[in-house]
Amino acid sequence: MRLDKLPIWQPEGSSTSGHEDEPYAAYQTALSTVEIYRRLYLSLDELPDILVEARAFAIGVINHEDGEPGWCVWEFMNPDGDPENVPRIRRFLERLGYNALAKEVRAVEIELATFDPADVIEFFAGNQMSEERHTPILEVMEKRFEHPEFHQRFGETIWEQVARDGAKLIEDTSPYCPHSTMDGLKKAQRSIVDALPGYETREQQNTMWRSDQPFHRLLLNVGERYFHDDCLKVTRSDGTVVLHYGAEPYQELTVFKEASRVSILTSTKGDWLCCHIGDRSWLVDPKTGNKLVSTKLGEQ
């Protein structure tokens, strides 16, 4: 399953345009959009190619601290440490017609392939490495993109030019399907999630989600798929209770009062409460307060 467009929230009157004054806004939108759909357990291979490539470009070539373009070896590949971002950046450059620059990135791909893949991942993830493992990879990156010959050949503003052209391409290609209301957006997202093959077996990205918030397992018991959640109630270690927005309609339910933590789950079909009581999480009908099924915290 490959999507050509991803639903995003774009209220009426707003625009994703801004490549002239704020060229990097397009990349922030790409980054956040991709992450939203990854949290819904879509793989990168299922998302529009241009968004995945633009995300890689933003990770590797736009400095996260000052927003300025330029090959950022210290930022490169964070947060996921994925070496596949290198060919994604190359494909983005080819898509834009910067073929000579793409060849430089291809040369990096070839050189990186001579190292132990585990070392490359460790380097790009920013993990601690011994000098003998770290330095050779760093030198590969620096000799390609920090060397004076690179700047003489491509100019000092090459990455800024690419960033602006890429932002315009993202806008012109329009890999988004805008929705002016949150209800419309959720309906579109639910349709995507409901159509995903093998959704129940997909690796869950968040270990906390697996152990403390077993939403996916609970919903499978009623034949539905996890889609989204919001925390309504948390009991702190000192016994004080914090209620969040949206809790009011459920506060009088007995199960809500008993639970130490309550979340509202949005499945692909409706809404449910997940209530933590003791060492178990219960799936609760939000209209009646009836407990349906439970699972022990920490079970896989």
Side-chain angles (χ1 to χ4, degrees), residues 236-253:
R236 292 174 173 163
S237 57
D238 62 3
T240 58
V241 174
V242 179
L243 299 179
H244 295 288
Y245 176 79
E248 185 176 358
Y250 313 104
Q251 289 184 58
E252 296 307 313
L253 295 176

Side-chain angles (χ1 to χ4, degrees), residues 64 78 88 117 143 188 231:
H64 299 187
N78 287 326
R88 290 176 186 132
K143 80 176 182 181
C231 181

Side-chain angles (χ1 to χ4, degrees), residues 243 247-258 273 286 288-289:
L243 299 179
E248 185 176 358
Y250 313 104
Q251 289 184 58
E252 296 307 313
L253 295 176
T254 300
V255 70
F256 188 97
K257 296 176 181 178
E258 293 176 347
L273 295 180
T288 65

Side-chain angles (χ1 to χ4, degrees), residues 215-242:
F215 306 149
H216 190 74
R217 296 197 306 278
L218 287 172
L219 288 170
L220 284 178
N221 284 280
V222 292
E224 298 189 19
R225 289 169 159 176
Y226 165 76
F227 169 66
H228 178 72
D229 67 272
D230 286 299
C231 181
L232 301 181
K233 172 186 175 180
V234 175
T235 304
R236 292 174 173 163
S237 57
D238 62 3
T240 58
V241 174
V242 179

Side-chain angles (χ1 to χ4, degrees), residues 101-113 140 144:
L101 194 55
K103 287 181 180 178
E104 293 295 314
V105 179
R106 176 56 182 160
V108 169
E109 288 181 61
I110 293 172
E111 291 195 68
L112 290 178
V140 166
R144 287 289 172 185

Side-chain angles (χ1 to χ4, degrees):
M1 176 178 172
R2 178 177 288 277
L3 300 169
D4 294 324
K5 293 182 182 292
L6 291 181
I8 63 167
W9 186 42
Q10 186 180 327
E12 290 182 5
S14 67
S15 173
T16 56
S17 177
H19 64 270
E20 294 297 335
D21 299 323
E22 297 183 50
Y24 312 125
Y27 300 100
Q28 291 303 320
T29 301
L31 279 164
S32 61
T33 302
V34 169
E35 294 314 308
I36 286 169
Y37 285 91
R38 289 186 78 192
R39 287 197 294 271
L40 293 178
Y41 310 112
L42 277 79
S43 69
L44 292 178
D45 290 341
E46 291 168 319
L47 304 181
D49 285 338
I50 189 171
L51 283 189
V52 176
E53 294 165 9
R55 170 182 175 271
F57 182 85
I59 291 172
V61 192
I62 296 179
N63 191 298
H64 299 187
E65 293 184 0
D66 59 19
E68 292 301 315
W71 198 275
C72 306
V73 66
W74 301 117
E75 298 283 353
F76 196 56
M77 303 306 170
N78 287 326
D80 53 2
D82 184 359
E84 287 302 310
N85 282 337
V86 179
R88 290 176 186 132
I89 291 171
R90 187 221 339 130
R91 289 194 291 271
F92 190 61
L93 295 173
E94 291 170 345
R95 188 188 292 271
L96 292 168
Y98 286 89
N99 295 322
L101 194 55
K103 287 181 180 178
E104 293 295 314
V105 179
R106 176 56 182 160
V108 169
E109 288 181 61
I110 293 172
E111 291 195 68
L112 290 178
T114 65
F115 296 100
D116 184 329
D119 287 349
V120 175
I121 292 173
E122 289 289 302
F123 176 86
F124 286 145
N127 296 333
Q128 290 288 335
M129 298 174 66
S130 64
E131 185 175 345
E132 59 266 25
R133 294 165 59 215
H134 179 273
T135 301
I137 303 175
L138 176 62
E139 289 176 347
V140 166
M141 306 298 290
E142 289 185 335
K143 80 176 182 181
R144 287 289 172 185
F145 304 114
E146 297 296 334
H147 198 278
E149 290 184 4
F150 175 84
H151 296 290
Q152 290 172 8
R153 182 181 178 191
F154 293 102
E156 296 292 336
T157 62
I158 181 62
W159 294 118
E160 181 177 348
Q161 295 171 35
V162 174
R164 288 185 177 276
D165 289 346
K168 187 177 187 306
L169 180 65
I170 295 169
E171 180 185 326
D172 293 343
T173 305
S174 187
Y176 305 112
C177 180
H179 292 269
S180 59
T181 67
M182 289 304 296
D183 285 344
L185 172 61
K186 282 190 175 183
K187 184 177 180 180
Q189 289 177 330
R190 278 172 163 158
S191 296
I192 289 174
V193 170
D194 221 22
L196 289 175
Y199 190 74
E200 290 75 15
T201 62
R202 291 176 180 236
E203 180 181 359
Q204 309 308 319
Q205 304 294 323
N206 189 330
T207 55
M208 282 289 291
W209 185 93
R210 281 199 201 110
S211 59
D212 292 343
Q213 303 176 35
F215 306 149
H216 190 74
R217 296 197 306 278
L218 287 172
L219 288 170
L220 284 178
N221 284 280
V222 292
E224 298 189 19
R225 289 169 159 176
Y226 165 76
F227 169 66
H228 178 72
D229 67 272
D230 286 299
C231 181
L232 301 181
K233 172 186 175 180
V234 175
T235 304
R236 292 174 173 163
S237 57
D238 62 3
T240 58
V241 174
V242 179
L243 299 179
H244 295 288
Y245 176 79
E248 185 176 358
Y250 313 104
Q251 289 184 58
E252 296 307 313
L253 295 176
T254 300
V255 70
F256 188 97
K257 296 176 181 178
E258 293 176 347
S260 60
R261 180 185 177 95
V262 180
S263 297
I264 186 163
L265 313 186
T266 302
S267 76
T268 50
K269 296 180 181 178
D271 294 331
W272 302 85
L273 295 180
C274 176
C275 299
H276 297 273
I277 302 175
D279 65 350
R280 303 195 72 83
S281 285
W282 287 88
L283 189 68
V284 175
D285 186 323
K287 295 179 181 178
T288 65
N290 292 336
K291 298 175 183 175
L292 299 178
V293 292
S294 71
T295 184
K296 190 172 182 179
L297 293 177
E299 288 182 347
Q300 300 296 319

